Structure formats: structure tokens, C-alpha cells
Amino acid sequence: MNVRIIATAAYGQLGPFKKISPGLYRSVSGRVHIVGEGNIGGKAEGLAFLDQNNFPIPGRTLFVADDFLGLPNVDIRDRFLLCQADLARINYLISAINMIGFPTPIAIRSSSTVEDQLGDSQAGAFHSTIFGKPLSPGAMNQEFTIALLEVLNSSYGYGRNAYLRRCFTEIPPLPVIIQELIGRQWSFVPNVFFPALSGIVNTATPDKVKVQTVFGFGEAAVRWGLGMVHEFCGDLQAQPAVTGQFNGEVCRLNLQTGLPDMPDPDFMYDPNKMSANYPEIVALYRQKAPELQRGVAQKAFALSQQLGKALDLEWALGESEVLFTQVRPIKRKKANMARPAVAPENIYFQTNKILGQGQVEVKNIIFISGEMSEVLSVMDDIRRICRQFPDSLIVWGTRVKPLVTRDILHDYLIHLAKSVLVWDYYGDDGLHHQSGPGTGLAHLALEIYDREKVIIYSDKSALVEQLLNLGRDVSESPSSSKGAMIEVKELPFTLQIAGDDESGWGLIYRNIQP
């Protein structure tokens, strides 16, 4: 086979990819290569589509098909199995990376066959990483192999595993992407590498395009929902509405260790730190906004119109232009959702701090409290209880940092219950540790919309007490000896949780039938 044509559900036929050496193919543009004959996965299909349509993408991208490394399908019960790869094939992969001319550093990204599918994005469910050392013979190849296996092993991880949630009997090998990393070194911050600006652009809302911008790598945007959001309406020519705030620190690559350098979450909420530590980058943002964001919005809108689908794209500012590093088709949202007419006496709580768009009914409340380490130690109990009481509202009262709460919501809670109430609290330091919905464009938001669930945020301890007093204790409800508390309350009636983050309303109420 001298030419590969790839058939996809989301993008039609992609290709041709011409064979340039045994098992190695190249796109017409020369920017994208494929090694192997098998599936390339959803993320790679999206990048191939961008390449085929002459979208600005990184200059070098290599798709590693799921058959190339010779990994077998794995029984679902071996969820912690460490992948064993053929070193000869890894050496061939390294040779291909060097032959294509990848610069240092590179990204190693997952591209599962269940990722980035319409209505089931699995956003953030698999691992990606950065490798910041030259690929030369010797120890560096061992470090690259370890980084590659970390990505491959995310198929078997507990909690972040899409396959486990789908109840597959076998886990197929994971396709991966080797991608040129967008960014540069900065004279005022030695030995680090990151782009000045990056973010997300989303066309899910009718007649609107939202562009999220963060400083540094996009982890702060896609994982934690931080940054500034420019919301363009209509023909995209009017001045956008701007919300959000600067992230207080940058996600970056440490060139000395070759590893990602993730900031302390405490610093991510302090925009004054960004202005103090990175004044050149803040000045660049102010110089380019909002026209840079408008250009991003226009490209995303045109592509969305071409495909006839709502899209979510990730982008980063290169040396001279914005480059797109990922695209996924997503569910189109409603312009607005009608707020139900409910008598005031039947409303337990109303707020504008809401993530999601929909309405769910719950018959039980599962209250989880304790310190983070205590709660993680009883996560198996939490999973078992949620399976036993599936029609539940989880009330999350655990004292953790807000960004950690978003990780826990994404990795665990939204897959275990119909809805989640995040109870913000005043910590021992006297500060209000608000989690909040963030920008509404992060991976967590995509998962919420896919599953038509709702997250509500409140700092009202009286609300939590009121909800818990509504139900009766379930005898199976355990009080953990490890310090965490899990209480299960059976409600005497069905409780409704509804909300629309586009219109800015959320309700917890009792639906009284006439």
C-alpha cells in the first residue's frame, strides 16, 4: 500500500498520505506524517482535517497508529498493567522523529479512538505530556520511552479511563501523536519554554464564538478553566464582551529537567503576580487583544460552518501567527433554556454559579466531607455507594484547593452521580476558597455538556444542612474510620436540579405535581 486514505465519521475521507519509507506516510502539505497501518484516533483525525484544509497547525506532527508499537489488546481486569513495548519499534519511531526534523521540545499526546467524538469528547480522559530533551542515542532514549509509556498507560488508569466507563471487555492499544511544541525561550525567565498566549475557541453557543486566553501553555485553560474570555456575537465584528481574569502563573517547560513545570495552584488565582513577574507578556496581550482573539474566532467560525458542526479548538501563539493544535466536534448548546416556573416555597436554592445546561432528577443525596487525602483513601467506597444509589446528588464538602476540586470533578464525580453540588467554604486561613465554574470552556465543561449534567456551586452551609435534613439515613451509609465522612440520605420525594450557564441561572427545587 503506497497511499493511505483514512475514512472518518466526523470529517469524511482524509488523505492521501503517501508512503515515503516502510510504514511511514506523509501528507500532501508535508506537515503531517503517519507511522503504522492501524487506527490513528480521534485527535489525530481532527489534526489531519486541519492540515488538509490548510489551517495553520504546527509544522511537524507524527501520528503513531495503534498497531505500530505491537501492543496487544488487554483484558479490562488488568487495568494497572504496564505496557511493554518493542524497543526496536521505539528506536524506529525515534529515527522517524529525527528524520522528519522535529525540534526540541515535543509533545506526546493521546489520540484514543473514543476521544474527540461528537457527543462524547472524553476531553482530558487520557494523558499527554511534554518531552524537553534532544533525542540522541543513549539515556535520552530511555527517558523518551518512559514518557511514551506514561501516555500509553493512561488507557489502563483508574478514574481517567474512558474504556472502563464504557465497560469494554478489552482495551485496544492507544494511538499517540508526536507534535512540535509551540513556544519559545524567554530572556527574562531563564531555562524555561512556553508560548506567550494560548487557549481555546468554542462555537457551541448559537450566534456566539468564545475565545479563552491564558498565558503560557494551555493547561490552565483546558484543565482548570482559567483565563480571559472574549465573547464575539453575530458577524464577529462588534467589540466582544470580556470576562475572567489573568492566570497568576504560567504552565511551562523546564529546559534543565526537560519536564513540565506546573505552578502552585495557590498562585494561579493571583493576577497581580502575572503583571509583576511577566510584564512583557501582559503587555503583548494588551497590544494584540482583541484583534488576535477576533482572528481566532473567525477561523473557528468558518470551519464550523464548513463542517456543519459546533467545534472546540485549542490554539497557541507561534512566532508570527496563531497555530491550532487540536479540534474536536462538540454538542451544540441551546441559545437559552427556559427557567421552570416554580413556586418560591418549593425552591431550596437559586444561583448564577452553574456549569452545564439541563435538568436532572435525584432521589438520594450523597454527602462527602473530609480532608483531601482522607477522601481519596475511600474512593473505592464512594464508587461502590454511587453504583448502589445511581439517582443521586453528590454534595462535595471536602476541603481542598479549588483547582484540585476541578480535577476531582472531571476525573471522578461527574461520572458517578447525576449532579454535583460543590460546597465552597471558608478555610482555616480565613480565606474564601471559591471553586466556581471557571470560564465554562474547560475539559470539565465539555464532559458536563456531553452527559447533560449540572454542577451547582454554593458557599451556604445552611443549604447543605437543609438538604441533608430532607432525607432519612440509609443504613448502608458508612462512616469511614480513615477520617472521611460519607453520608447517604434517601429523599421522600424527587428533587430537581436544573440550570443554564448561558442564561446564568441554577435551581434546586421540589417539583410539586398538580
Side-chain angles (χ1 to χ4, degrees):
M1 182 169 61
N2 293 321
V3 171
R4 280 203 68 178
I5 302 291
I6 298 174
T8 72
Y11 309 105
Q13 285 197 338
L14 300 174
F17 296 87
K18 184 179 179 181
K19 180 180 283 189
I20 58 173
S21 64
L24 184 63
Y25 299 84
R26 182 167 58 204
S27 70
V28 173
S29 73
R31 299 182 297 180
V32 171
H33 292 73
I34 302 174
V35 61
E37 309 291 344
N39 291 321
I40 62 173
K43 193 179 296 180
E45 290 174 359
L47 279 166
F49 175 77
L50 293 179
D51 175 56
Q52 187 166 290
N53 284 270
N54 299 314
F55 244 61
I57 64 171
R60 298 167 186 84
T61 300
L62 173 62
F63 305 150
V64 184
D66 63 358
D67 67 327
F68 175 74
L69 292 173
L71 300 172
N73 285 13
V74 176
D75 189 288
I76 195 72
R77 291 167 294 184
D78 296 328
R79 59 171 67 103
F80 295 113
L81 179 71
L82 181 67
C83 292
Q84 298 295 319
D86 184 334
L87 292 182
R89 298 192 185 209
I90 290 182
N91 285 333
Y92 182 92
L93 175 60
I94 292 170
S95 297
I97 292 170
N98 287 327
M99 184 273 292
I100 293 167
F102 276 86
T104 303
I106 58 175
I108 307 173
R109 311 183 67 190
S110 67
S111 182
S112 170
T113 54
V114 301
E115 275 186 280
D116 295 351
Q117 304 299 316
L118 182 59
D120 193 7
S121 67
Q122 300 292 344
F126 299 87
H127 182 58
S128 294
T129 191
I130 297 171
F131 186 73
K133 294 185 178 181
L135 281 172
S136 56
M140 295 303 103
N141 288 3
Q142 294 179 3
E143 294 181 37
F144 170 79
T145 302
I146 292 170
L148 177 65
L149 291 179
E150 284 179 356
V151 175
L152 293 168
N153 281 334
S154 64
S155 278
Y156 314 109
Y158 209 24
R160 299 178 70 88
N161 190 330
Y163 294 106
L164 288 175
R165 295 198 296 271
R166 285 168 163 262
C167 301
F168 283 3
T169 56
E170 287 188 328
I171 304 175
L174 182 70
V176 298
I177 299 171
I178 309 297
Q179 192 171 53
E180 179 180 341
L181 201 61
I182 306 305
R184 52 168 287 195
Q185 298 185 53
W186 301 87
S187 59
F188 60 90
V189 191
N191 298 314
V192 297
F193 181 99
F194 59 87
L197 306 173
S198 62
I200 302 166
V201 54
N202 183 294
T203 69
T205 306
D207 299 319
K208 291 181 182 178
V209 180
K210 299 178 182 180
V211 182
Q212 179 178 350
T213 305
V214 295
F215 301 109
F217 287 122
E219 185 87 351
V222 300
R223 180 176 172 186
W224 292 323
L226 300 176
M228 306 294 292
V229 175
H230 290 71
E231 185 177 287
F232 296 89
C233 298
D235 62 2
L236 312 182
Q237 295 305 313
Q239 283 296 105
V242 183
T243 57
Q245 66 179 36
F246 296 149
N247 48 306
E249 255 295 352
V250 298
C251 300
R252 58 197 189 180
L253 173 69
N254 186 318
L255 292 175
Q256 289 184 316
T257 64
L259 299 173
D261 188 1
M262 298 302 294
D264 187 319
D266 282 341
F267 297 147
M268 296 299 285
Y269 277 104
D270 185 358
N272 294 324
K273 283 185 62 65
M274 178 59 65
S275 297
N277 295 340
Y278 304 92
E280 294 91 339
I281 296 179
V282 174
L284 178 67
Y285 166 83
R286 289 178 170 147
Q287 172 193 342
K288 290 185 173 293
E291 293 313 309
L292 180 143
Q293 286 79 8
R294 191 189 311 279
V296 170
Q298 289 169 338
K299 284 186 170 64
F301 179 76
L303 191 66
S304 184
Q305 292 290 99
Q306 176 184 338
L307 271 174
K309 298 181 176 73
L311 297 175
D312 177 274
L313 296 98
E314 297 175 18
W315 61 271
L317 180 61
E319 289 292 333
S320 59
E321 64 176 336
V322 167
L323 301 172
F324 292 86
T325 58
Q326 185 170 344
V327 60
R328 55 169 67 91
I330 55 175
K331 283 185 177 179
R332 194 172 297 279
K333 298 175 71 174
K334 301 172 185 175
N336 56 69
M337 176 179 162
R339 175 175 168 146
V342 183
E345 63 270 20
N346 293 325
I347 297 175
Y348 294 102
F349 183 61
Q350 51 189 328
T351 182
N352 61 0
K353 294 179 64 178
I354 171 85
L355 186 61
Q357 190 179 61
Q359 181 169 345
V360 298
E361 296 181 347
V362 299
K363 300 176 182 177
N364 308 285
I365 293 175
I366 301 173
F367 178 60
I368 303 170
S369 63
E371 300 298 330
M372 188 68 220
S373 59
E374 298 168 349
V375 171
L376 288 179
S377 70
V378 296
M379 192 56 73
D380 284 340
D381 286 338
I382 293 172
R383 293 189 189 96
R384 176 179 55 79
I385 291 168
C386 288
R387 286 195 297 268
Q388 187 177 354
F389 301 96
D391 297 327
S392 295
L393 166 69
I394 288 180
V395 177
W396 178 253
T398 300
R399 296 193 170 193
V400 298
K401 295 175 181 178
L403 300 187
V404 178
T405 289
R406 290 180 191 169
D407 285 343
I408 296 297
L409 284 166
H410 176 272
D411 294 350
Y412 298 100
L413 300 187
I414 62 171
H415 308 292
L416 296 176
K418 280 195 168 182
S419 184
V420 180
L421 169 64
V422 177
W423 175 28
D424 289 331
Y425 70 98
Y426 285 88
D428 296 334
D429 54 10
L431 298 177
H432 190 192
H433 292 251
Q434 284 192 335
S435 298
T439 61
L441 298 176
H443 286 161
L444 172 62
L446 296 181
E447 291 281 286
I448 288 291
Y449 301 138
D450 282 346
R451 285 157 182 74
E452 298 181 350
K453 295 186 178 182
V454 176
I455 298 177
I456 283 182
Y457 298 83
S458 172
D459 60 2
K460 308 295 184 185
S461 58
L463 168 66
V464 175
E465 294 176 8
Q466 182 184 20
L467 291 176
L468 293 179
N469 288 333
L470 290 176
R472 68 173 184 86
D473 289 329
V474 176
S475 59
E476 294 85 351
S477 175
S479 176
S480 173
S481 60
K482 297 181 180 179
M485 178 67 72
I486 310 169
E487 298 181 62
V488 181
K489 300 283 188 174
E490 184 181 44
L491 296 169
F493 49 79
T494 298
L495 201 63
Q496 307 283 330
I497 296 98
D500 177 12
D501 55 15
E502 286 295 328
S503 303
W505 63 266
L507 291 176
I508 300 177
Y509 65 98
R510 180 180 180 181
N511 190 12
I512 304 296
Q513 298 296 331

